């Protein structure tokens, strides 16, 4: 568990190895550690989806004698597993505030199901293995994104979600690249070993990670102590003017205190800051008792970023009496009448139009990106006689631009100055604009006559796809924060469900369409 004071590694003394261990121990309680573990988890989940792309025709068509339509069904089974695993794990995680054990179970399952896939010798066995992989993936993915939202808020959430989306892209679209290289070197068993190693590595990181709620508390304690200087300055200001206090001055002084508290919500829970707050309260009481009973300032309306305060750290008794959320009488009356707070359900989330719109955008955008896995390898093998290595390298054209653009898009699509320029549409302007551009470039993909033209089109698809997709994650997270912040895992489970619908429908229906009308017309669809 974390304490209120965090010592640096140099404060411990000892050998270099000891200091290194101390630094690692300090790092595992930082938000950056949560971001790394969650991003690796997202990568591990999505890489399993794409690893089989380059060699799937060889296994199904050449070895098992299946039609090309069976390729899409195998991808669809993975999506079906995610569709079931994500909401169940999200409900458990948000209901009982569990992040650690659901992710551990998911990572263990991911490694085990990958071994099951490698040992499968019949088509139905591959179907079962892929469904189980999707089930495990849905568990870890929803929890991982929920952990990021636990420790990053506001503009920082956009940047953090951009990093996580880079992990998604590396796995989702980079999986075919890794799959081709690894399969060429060691076959399907090497693929299973690779996935097991990634899942095992992330499992070790997850076991070492401090729970997100503890990370938040530790960060809040450090912020509170560092911002204590602002309260000292506010105290001096009030002392210099306390002799001439009246109602107008009283409101000004209250605003000064509120401004100091709003500079860091963690001040309210800092022991040092509490002492200053009580001192300020004593100053303000002198000569102004007659006005206290009639003065009430609603802090909630002024602190729109109150979701940053870790749950359980704010006590109304810690605030001065004349700066209360509600008066004591009204508070006791409300507590007697108010029922237990209703937990946010997935149905409640879907009733919010920004979240519903994000889910629809997810189906469209990820479905469009997922259209390449079952179709592009077959097209390249038939038209260009490309082998597994060439197919794998071509997928890099989507991966690298998308990985580069994702953190940049996450940062600037969460910048308030940028969002003000596209008001009132906000991040949806980037989603819509990126989706339209993505659709146009994909339609042009079918007109290419050589591999070079194919690669150029894929580069543009990677760029505009990142711009369109990254704002979805931060939009969903920030909307949940405004609703109370009790359903991060649930909202990202909805993201997973939408993603699953996209990868169930698109990859399943496109191969038969391509058999009937060809690759060019299919990309137009």
């Amino acid at each position: 568990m974390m304490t209120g004071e965090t010592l640096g590694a140099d404060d411990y003394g000892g050998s270099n190895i000891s200091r290194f261990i101390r630094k690692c121990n300090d790092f595992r309680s930082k938000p950056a550690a949560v971001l790394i573990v969650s991003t690796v988890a997202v990568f591990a989940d999505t890489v399993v989806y794409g690893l089989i792309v380059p060699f799937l025709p060889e296994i199904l068509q050449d070895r098992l004698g299946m039609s090309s339509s069976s390729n899409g069904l195998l991808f669809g089974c993975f999506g079906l597993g995610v569709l079931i695993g994500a909401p169940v794990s999200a409900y458990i995680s948000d209901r009982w505030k569990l992040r650690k054990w659901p992710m551990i179970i998911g990572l263990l399952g991911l490694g085990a199901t990958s071994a099951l896939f490698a040992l499968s010798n019949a088509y139905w066995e591959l179907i079962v293995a892929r469904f189980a992989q999707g089930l495990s993936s849905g568990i870890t993915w929803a929890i991982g994104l929920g952990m990021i939202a636990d420790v990053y808020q506001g503009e920082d959430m956009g940047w953090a979600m951009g990093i996580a989306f880079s992990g998604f892209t590396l796995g989702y679209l980079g999986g075919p690249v890794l799959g081709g290289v690894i399969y060429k070197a060691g076959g399907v068993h090497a693929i299973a070993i690779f996935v097991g190693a990634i899942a095992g590595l992330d499992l070790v990181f997850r076991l070492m990670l401090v729970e997100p709620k503890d990370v938040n508390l530790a960060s809040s304690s450090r912020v509170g102590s560092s911002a204590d200087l602002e309260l000292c300055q506010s105290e001096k200001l009030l002392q210099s003017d306390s002799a001439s206090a009246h109602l107008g001055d009283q409101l000004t002084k209250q605003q000064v205190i509120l401004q100091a508290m709003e500079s860091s919500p963690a001040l309210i829970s800092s022991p040092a800051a509490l002492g200053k707050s009580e001192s300020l309260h004593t100053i303000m009481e002198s000569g102004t008792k007659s006005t206290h009973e009639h003065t009430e300032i609603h802090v909630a309306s002024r602190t729109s970023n109150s979701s940053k305060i870790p749950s359980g750290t704010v006590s109304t008794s810690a605030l001065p009496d004349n700066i209360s959320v509600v008066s004591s009488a009204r508070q006791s009356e409300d507590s007697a009448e108010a029922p237990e707070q209703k937990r946010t359900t997935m149905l409640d989330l879907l009733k919010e139009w920004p979240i519903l719109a994000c889910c629809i955008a997810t189906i469209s955008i990820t479905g469009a990106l997922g259209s390449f896995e079952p179709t592009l390898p077959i097209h390249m093998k038939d038209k260009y006689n490309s082998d597994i290595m060439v197919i794998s390298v071509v997928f890099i054209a989507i991966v690298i631009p998308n990985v580069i653009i994702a953190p940049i898009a996450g940062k600037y699509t969460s910048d308030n100055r940028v969002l003000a320029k596209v008001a009132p549409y906000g991040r949806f302007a980037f989603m819509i604009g990126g989706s339209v551009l993505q659709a146009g470039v994909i339609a042009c993909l079918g007109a290419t006559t050589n591999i070079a033209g194919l690669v150029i089109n894929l580069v543009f698809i990677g760029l505009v796809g990142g711009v369109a997709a990254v704002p979805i994650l931060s939009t969903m997270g920030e909307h949940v924060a405004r609703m109370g912040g009790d359903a991060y895992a649930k909202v990202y489970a909805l993201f997973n469900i939408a993603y699953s619908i996209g990868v169930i429908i698109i990859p399943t229906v496109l191969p038969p369409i391509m058999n009937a009308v060809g690759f060019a017309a299919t990309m137009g669809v």
Side-chain angles (χ1 to χ4, degrees):
M1 295 294 294
M2 299 298 303
T3 59
E5 182 179 3
T6 303
L7 296 177
D10 294 335
D11 297 326
Y12 291 100
S15 64
N16 291 332
I17 296 177
S18 176
R19 284 195 292 270
F20 175 76
I21 293 174
R22 295 296 184 182
K23 286 182 178 180
C24 292
N25 186 57
D26 290 344
F27 179 75
R28 73 190 186 95
S29 64
K30 296 182 181 297
V34 174
L35 179 58
I36 291 174
V37 170
S38 301
T39 302
V40 173
V42 170
F43 167 77
D45 296 338
T46 53
V47 77
V48 171
Y49 177 83
L51 276 174
I52 68 172
V53 169
F55 59 85
L56 197 59
E58 180 178 320
I59 292 178
L60 296 183
Q61 278 73 60
D62 298 343
R63 189 184 304 175
L64 299 179
M66 306 292 295
S67 67
S68 59
S69 300
S70 61
N71 297 35
L73 183 59
L74 209 56
F75 284 104
C77 287
F78 183 91
L80 182 62
V82 174
L83 193 65
I84 296 174
V88 173
S89 62
Y91 173 80
I92 294 173
S93 179
D94 282 339
R95 173 65 177 82
W96 286 282
K97 303 301 179 185
L98 294 175
R99 296 286 193 254
K100 181 176 183 179
W101 290 108
M103 178 171 277
I104 289 174
I105 292 172
L107 291 170
L108 289 173
L110 196 62
T113 53
S114 299
L116 178 63
F117 186 87
L119 298 174
S120 300
N121 295 313
Y123 184 67
W124 71 268
E125 293 175 346
L126 294 173
I127 290 288
V128 172
R130 286 293 283 177
F131 172 78
Q133 282 181 336
L135 197 67
S136 302
S137 176
I139 295 173
T140 53
W141 198 358
I143 304 300
L145 293 177
M147 287 167 55
I148 294 175
D150 285 338
V151 296
Y152 287 96
Q153 298 291 329
E155 294 185 9
D156 290 338
M157 183 184 290
W159 169 82
M161 289 300 177
I163 296 293
F165 192 82
S166 294
F168 165 81
T169 302
L170 281 174
Y172 188 51
L173 299 175
V177 180
L178 293 172
V181 174
I182 297 172
Y183 183 79
K184 196 77 173 179
V188 70
H189 293 90
I191 294 288
I193 293 172
F194 173 77
V195 175
I198 293 294
L201 179 65
D202 200 44
L203 177 61
V204 173
F205 288 161
R206 184 60 189 91
L207 289 170
M208 296 174 62
L209 185 68
V210 175
E211 283 291 287
K213 59 184 179 180
D214 296 329
V215 173
N216 243 336
L217 288 172
S219 301
S220 299
S221 177
R222 290 192 292 272
V223 172
S225 60
S226 65
D228 185 48
L229 179 61
E230 294 186 25
L231 278 178
C232 292
Q233 294 171 345
S234 300
E235 181 184 2
K236 291 178 181 179
L237 177 63
L238 292 177
Q239 285 174 332
S240 65
D241 195 39
S242 59
S244 59
H246 52 78
L247 180 58
D249 294 332
Q250 177 68 14
L251 292 175
T252 301
K253 293 170 186 176
Q254 290 172 332
Q255 292 169 358
V256 170
I257 296 179
L258 286 172
Q259 183 178 5
M261 289 181 174
E262 289 173 9
S263 65
S264 172
L267 289 172
I268 303 174
S269 61
S270 169
L274 291 180
K276 296 296 182 185
S277 297
E278 293 172 1
S279 174
L280 293 173
H281 174 45
T282 302
I283 294 171
M284 294 177 65
E285 278 187 337
S286 59
T288 59
K289 287 186 178 180
S290 60
T291 62
H292 285 176
E293 296 177 356
H294 305 287
T295 303
E296 176 179 292
I297 294 180
H298 292 268
V299 180
S301 63
R302 299 194 51 178
T303 55
S304 60
N305 60 344
S306 61
S307 60
K308 293 183 181 180
I309 305 175
S311 60
T313 63
V314 179
S315 173
T316 55
S317 63
L319 296 171
D321 292 340
N322 57 331
I323 306 178
S324 57
V325 178
V326 290
S327 64
S328 300
R330 184 180 298 175
Q331 190 173 26
S332 60
E333 180 180 335
D334 290 346
S335 62
E337 296 178 358
E340 184 180 354
Q341 183 178 4
K342 182 178 179 292
R343 291 185 175 87
T344 305
T345 65
M346 288 190 180
L347 184 59
D348 295 331
L349 293 173
L350 286 175
K351 291 178 181 178
E352 301 289 321
W353 77 262
I355 292 178
L356 180 60
C358 285
C359 290
I360 295 173
T362 300
I363 295 173
S364 172
I365 296 169
T366 60
L369 291 174
S371 65
F372 303 118
E373 272 88 351
T375 58
L376 193 58
I378 297 174
H379 171 69
M380 293 185 66
K381 185 177 180 181
D382 293 342
K383 186 171 184 177
Y384 305 114
N385 197 28
S386 302
D387 60 12
I388 292 176
M389 287 300 299
V390 174
I391 295 173
S392 302
V393 171
V394 165
F395 271 91
I396 296 178
I398 307 179
V399 175
I400 293 179
N402 200 285
V403 169
I404 293 173
I405 199 67
I408 299 174
K411 177 181 178 180
Y412 285 101
T413 57
S414 293
D415 190 316
N416 291 329
R417 293 169 297 180
V418 175
L419 293 177
K421 294 180 180 180
V422 292
Y425 304 103
R427 294 186 182 91
F428 287 100
F430 297 97
M431 296 182 205
I432 296 171
S435 298
V436 171
L437 290 174
Q438 184 186 49
V441 179
I442 290 176
C444 294
L445 190 66
T448 57
T449 57
N450 52 58
I451 294 181
L454 193 70
V455 168
I456 292 173
N457 272 268
L458 292 176
V459 168
F460 282 104
I461 291 171
L463 288 173
V464 297
V467 173
V470 170
I472 295 175
L473 297 175
S474 52
T475 299
M476 298 178 88
E478 289 194 7
H479 195 79
V480 169
R482 288 193 290 270
M483 294 175 66
D486 66 335
Y488 288 124
K490 291 190 185 77
V491 78
Y492 290 121
L494 288 176
F495 174 82
N496 281 347
I497 291 171
Y499 156 78
S500 301
I501 293 173
V503 300
I504 287 173
I505 296 175
I506 303 298
T508 302
V509 302
L510 284 188
I513 295 176
M514 189 173 73
N515 289 339
V517 301
F519 179 77
T522 302
M523 291 298 100
V525 172

